[in-house]
Amino acid sequence: MSNFRGAQNKAHPKKTNTIMTGIIVLQILFISMQIWFLFGALNNALEGNIFFATTTFVGSLLMAIASFAVLRYLPEPLKKRFTNAPRKKGSKDQQ
């Protein structure tokens, strides 16, 4: 039985690029929402509305946890499988 990481490593590079694009979009979404929460919390904290500031802090914390959880699905770097470089004369492979 294979796991997610094993299947992901065997996937075609275009599928890996699609996964990377999705992760990047999610990270941008999470960070932009955290910035929006930051502005809302600062504005309301300055006005004395501490309940809203606390609520946005909890929301921002949940967004940070979600963004770290998404990083688990990052694919490993692609490795070269075949090289067409000429071998040097006298190397151990040719002996």
Side-chain angles (χ1 to χ4, degrees):
M1 181 174 211
S2 67
N3 57 7
F4 175 76
R5 180 63 64 187
Q8 188 182 39
N9 290 340
K10 293 177 186 175
H12 193 272
K14 288 187 179 184
K15 290 181 183 178
T16 304
N17 289 339
T18 304
I19 291 172
M20 279 291 293
T21 304
I23 290 172
I24 290 170
V25 168
L26 277 175
Q27 293 292 351
I28 290 171
L29 175 71
F30 288 149
I31 291 171
S32 62
M33 286 180 70
Q34 282 183 308
I35 292 171
W36 181 49
F37 281 165
L38 174 70
F39 283 123
L42 288 176
N43 287 334
N44 281 290
L46 289 174
E47 292 175 3
N49 190 358
I50 300 300
F51 177 73
F52 185 80
T54 307
T55 307
T56 54
F57 170 74
V58 171
S60 180
L61 185 65
L62 290 175
M63 289 287 168
I65 291 169
S67 65
F68 287 128
V70 167
L71 291 177
R72 180 177 151 237
Y73 296 105
L74 279 174
E76 292 179 1
L78 295 176
K79 298 178 179 104
K80 280 190 172 182
R81 295 185 183 158
F82 302 104
T83 57
N84 292 334
R87 294 182 182 169
K88 292 183 180 177
K89 197 170 193 178
S91 66
K92 292 181 181 179
D93 294 338
Q94 289 183 346
Q95 293 177 357

